[in-house]
Amino acid sequence: MFNALVVEKDESSGKTHAEVKELSSEDLPPGEVTVAVEYSTLNYKDGLCIGPGGGLVRSYPHVPGIDFAGTVETSEDDRYAPGDKVVLTGWRVGETHWGGYAQKARVKADWLVPLPNGLDTRQAMAVGTAGLTAMLAVMALEDQGIKDGPLLVTGASGGVGSVATAILAKLGYSVAAVTGRPDNAEYLAGLGATTIVPREDLAETIKKPLEPETWGACVDAVGGPMLARVLGQMAYGASVAAVGLAGGAQLPATVVPFLLRGVNLLGIDSVMQPYDNRLRAWNRIATDLPMDKLEAMVEPAALQDLPRLGADILNGRVTGRVVVDVNA
Ligand code: NDP
């Protein structure tokens, strides 16, 4: 038997309820590899899946947790043997397949990657899906060519924003971090941000399609009117890596920044990343992410804390990365 955070739905009221329960290995979904999970994390999507599902969960009872790191217990796939350390992100695990908020998980071998050298399972989850996404965004910006000027990170106190800020600062860029929480200025400076941009400076809907060329690249976790505004402030030929929509799904923008400034809008999806890309990104994380900075981002949690923390992340009240010790 093992512990898991199980979300159940009352079909008559449509309401969901999440609580820690005991499950047995026979309850687990099919898959080639069974993993003794050590750590998982809290991401925005987990907040949705702990609650009413937000269209992500297909059937109940459900075990959320879109990422995890742990040790292989049994494997029917040649690539993995008992005792191997592994990391999982994406592939709709924690959404349509039971995820990492449990002491055991069973998944397809293709969805895993070996834990990169230089990271332990806790560090890997301090990075987690948010950090992997931040690294994929940085790699996409590098592929396009980063232009002169400070680099902008929006939603900077969040999981993706915190890791993106730390990576870009470690790579030697001057990072401007946008936040709606002025009391997080010291935290963001500690991650390496050189300038703090108050959220309200970019909150107003665009009045002019182009403003002075300001940013050499941008990692955007916010979307919505802020992204529209940022597009008009990019340097000529610069790129924005769009990762999220914490500030809204609508994009009230004009085409002018694309036409007259050659701005690139790059969509970043961590969920369906093929094995080679995930491995490349994890290996870059192991070398390019300052681990002391990572530790400063971590808020530890246990399975029973997740119903409360899930509501917090949906309300933008979480700072950095919540790392869940499933054995705590
Ligand atoms: P967090 O909730 O940790 O961070 C989001 C941050 O955005 C908040 O901390 C806050 O930062 C800011 N924010 C929140 N609400 C608003 C608002 N209304 N207007 C402006 N800023 C706001 O989430 P994550 O960092 O984990 O994820 C960020 C986004 O990226 C989410 O939409 C998530 O779904 C998406 N995502 C996408 C992935 C992909 O593969 N494309 C993978 C992982 C996440 P502050 O207080 O500093 O302003």
Side-chain angles (χ1 to χ4, degrees):
M1 302 297 282
F2 61 90
N3 291 334
L5 185 83
V6 180
V7 186
E8 284 170 324
K9 187 173 191 176
D10 181 312
E11 288 307 331
S12 54
S13 67
K15 287 201 169 138
T16 52
H17 171 74
E19 114 181 46
V20 178
K21 291 197 160 178
E22 276 204 331
L23 299 178
S24 83
S25 295
E26 289 87 72
D27 296 322
L28 288 170
E32 295 115 24
V33 185
T34 304
V35 179
V37 176
E38 290 161 27
Y39 296 97
S40 183
T41 78
L42 179 74
N43 297 272
Y44 195 84
K45 269 186 182 174
D46 296 314
L48 296 173
C49 294
I50 293 167
L56 301 172
V57 179
R58 299 287 149 73
S59 65
Y60 293 90
H62 179 65
V63 176
I66 66 167
D67 47 22
F68 62 77
T71 306
V72 171
E73 207 170 78
T74 62
S75 172
E76 294 161 20
D77 187 282
D78 290 347
R79 286 169 287 177
Y80 297 102
D84 288 352
K85 299 281 183 191
V86 287
V87 182
L88 179 139
T89 55
W91 301 97
R92 310 250 176 263
V93 170
E95 302 174 45
T96 56
H97 189 96
W98 283 10
Y101 292 170
Q103 290 167 324
K104 265 188 224 276
R106 191 175 290 143
V107 293
K108 283 192 171 183
D110 284 345
W111 298 342
L112 295 164
V113 294
L115 186 73
N117 286 336
L119 287 182
D120 61 29
T121 49
R122 184 174 177 279
Q123 288 168 323
M125 282 299 100
V127 176
T129 301
L132 180 77
T133 306
M135 183 45 96
L136 290 167
V138 170
M139 287 161 59
L141 294 173
E142 288 173 341
D143 286 349
Q144 290 299 318
I146 290 174
K147 304 297 176 193
D148 288 343
L151 309 196
L152 191 70
V153 176
T154 69
S157 329
V160 177
S162 293
V163 180
T165 299
I167 294 171
L168 291 170
K170 164 98 186 284
L171 291 172
Y173 295 105
S174 170
V175 180
V178 184
T179 183
R181 288 179 277 177
D183 44 340
N184 273 352
E186 200 179 322
Y187 164 76
L188 292 167
L191 298 182
T194 41
T195 317
I196 306 299
V197 180
R199 190 191 291 176
E200 55 272 19
D201 285 9
L202 292 169
E204 239 177 83
T205 319
I206 50 169
K207 293 203 176 70
K208 292 184 286 178
L210 293 178
E211 297 183 66
E213 292 181 48
T214 309
W215 316 113
C218 170
V219 176
D220 173 57
V222 167
M226 189 184 290
L227 171 56
R229 187 82 192 276
V230 165
L231 287 170
Q233 300 182 348
M234 299 306 295
Y236 191 90
S239 302
V240 177
V243 309
L245 41 65
Q250 299 297 323
L251 185 57
T254 79
V255 292
V256 176
F258 307 109
L259 303 180
L260 298 187
R261 291 239 176 106
V263 169
N264 303 299
L265 182 57
L266 315 172
I268 306 299
D269 173 41
S270 65
V271 176
M272 307 309 258
Q273 284 293 325
Y275 177 85
D276 287 349
N277 291 4
R278 270 178 292 144
L279 196 61
R280 197 161 64 94
W282 275 111
N283 285 328
R284 278 279 312 264
I285 286 165
T287 53
D288 285 354
L289 182 63
M291 289 302 148
D292 54 328
K293 301 267 173 11
L294 189 64
E295 205 44 54
M297 295 174 207
V298 170
E299 182 188 336
L303 288 176
Q304 53 269 24
D305 302 326
L306 287 164
R308 173 179 54 85
L309 291 167
D312 283 353
I313 198 163
L314 295 183
N315 290 313
R317 287 202 296 263
V318 165
T319 296
R321 302 280 301 128
V322 174
V323 176
V324 185
D325 179 349
V326 300
N327 298 305

